[in-house]
Amino acid sequence: AVKLVESGGGLVQPGGSLRLSCAGSGFTFSRYYLAWFRQSPGKEREGVVIIYTGGGFTFYSDSVQGRFTISQDNAKNTVYLQMNSLKPEDTAMYYCAATPLLPRRWRLGDEYNYWGQGTQVTVSS
């Protein structure tokens, strides 16, 4: 069975850093588009970043460009999200999602086949 498991969330002060992980299993990890989404209470789900694990494609939302960095380790079937200069507005549940096909509207989330259970990130002093 396909599985995505996020980890690494927690409480951090503004300006701090966290690294999230998304470990995949049950599918050909190196040929998928993996994206990180976030959602906080009362707000719509937001696509943060997407990467093609086969290489050559990465795209960030404007809200995190320059602060967040996505990376991958295909040997470990894991994608990482390094989050620096965190702000209170980054507080949300963070999810990873996967699809074998390039989403036409990657930030909406409707075209992904698999989702993880999420990991909470709270940025607060």
Side-chain angles (χ1 to χ4, degrees), residues 1-3 5 9 12 24 26 28 46 59 61 66 70 74 84 89 105 108 125:
V2 173
K3 197 172 184 182
V5 179
V12 63
T28 308
E46 175 190 14
F59 198 83
S61 69
I70 193 168
N74 286 357
N84 298 329
E89 51 263 43
R105 300 177 299 175
L108 296 184
S125 55

Side-chain angles (χ1 to χ4, degrees), residues 5-75:
V5 179
E6 304 95 333
S7 61
L11 173 64
V12 63
Q13 293 187 343
S17 298
L18 279 176
R19 189 177 80 155
L20 307 184
S21 299
C22 172
S25 60
F27 62 101
T28 308
F29 188 86
S30 61
R31 296 181 182 178
Y32 265 68
Y33 294 87
L34 269 84
W36 283 97
F37 286 81
R38 65 186 182 187
Q39 189 168 23
S40 52
K43 292 187 177 181
E44 291 188 357
R45 181 174 57 195
E46 175 190 14
V48 172
V49 59
I50 185 171
I51 188 169
Y52 179 58
T53 55
F57 181 87
T58 305
F59 198 83
Y60 295 87
S61 69
D62 289 343
S63 60
V64 306
Q65 178 75 49
R67 300 188 299 123
F68 290 11
T69 303
I70 193 168
S71 62
Q72 64 188 88
D73 184 340
N74 286 357

Side-chain angles (χ1 to χ4, degrees), residues 78-104:
T78 300
V79 167
Y80 304 97
L81 183 63
Q82 178 67 42
M83 306 187 296
N84 298 329
S85 303
L86 283 162
K87 306 174 182 179
E89 51 263 43
D90 294 317
T91 295
M93 184 72 79
Y94 283 71
Y95 301 89
C96 65
T99 174
L101 301 175
L102 174 62
R104 288 173 296 172

